[in-house]
Amino acid sequence: MSKNYLKYKKYVGTVQFDADDRVFHGHVLGINDIITFEGASVTELEEDFKNAIEDYFETCRKIDKVPEKPFKGAFNLRLDPSLHELLVVGALSQ
C-alpha cells in the first residue's frame, strides 16, 4: 500500500506531485493555520515538511501564540484525538 502523506510531531501533511512543474508539494492538515512545503525530490519534500513545522513553532513563539494542535477531535462530532488522526490518515491512504 502506498503512503501519500507525511507525519512529523503529530502533524500530517499531504503529498502531491505537480507533473508540469516537476515538484512535490503539500500542506498540513487538521489545523486552521496554513503550512505548506515542497521539494524537487522526496528527500527535499520530507526535509521541507519538517522545516515548515519547526518554522511554524518558531513563528508562534515569536508572536506569543500557542501553536494549533492537529486532530483536536472536533468536526461537528466529538472524538478522541487519536481516533480523529487515525481517520484522517486512513482516508489519505485510500
Side-chain angles (χ1 to χ4, degrees), residues 58-88:
E58 180 65 18
T59 299
C60 286
R61 186 188 64 73
K62 285 180 181 176
I63 64 172
D64 200 30
K65 174 186 174 179
V66 175
E68 286 188 57
K69 291 184 180 183
F71 309 107
K72 296 176 280 288
F75 62 101
N76 297 333
L77 176 68
R78 298 290 176 194
L79 301 172
D80 180 86
S82 60
L83 178 56
H84 185 183
E85 178 182 1
L86 182 66
L87 290 170
V88 171

Side-chain angles (χ1 to χ4, degrees), residues 5-91:
Y5 63 91
L6 297 172
K7 215 174 155 183
Y8 179 68
K9 294 188 176 182
K10 298 274 187 186
Y11 290 82
V12 175
T14 63
V15 174
Q16 298 176 337
F17 179 68
D18 184 323
D20 292 334
D21 292 335
R22 303 195 49 77
V23 66
F24 294 97
H25 61 93
H27 66 275
V28 174
L29 301 172
I31 62 173
N32 291 318
D33 289 327
I34 299 171
I35 304 173
T36 62
F37 50 93
E38 67 179 36
S41 68
V42 173
T43 301
E44 284 182 17
L45 180 73
E46 291 172 329
E47 185 176 319
D48 199 49
F49 172 62
K50 291 176 182 177
N51 289 339
I53 298 298
E54 294 298 335
D55 183 61
Y56 175 62
F57 293 152
E58 180 65 18
T59 299
C60 286
R61 186 188 64 73
K62 285 180 181 176
I63 64 172
D64 200 30
K65 174 186 174 179
V66 175
E68 286 188 57
K69 291 184 180 183
F71 309 107
K72 296 176 280 288
F75 62 101
N76 297 333
L77 176 68
R78 298 290 176 194
L79 301 172
D80 180 86
S82 60
L83 178 56
H84 185 183
E85 178 182 1
L86 182 66
L87 290 170
V88 171
V89 171

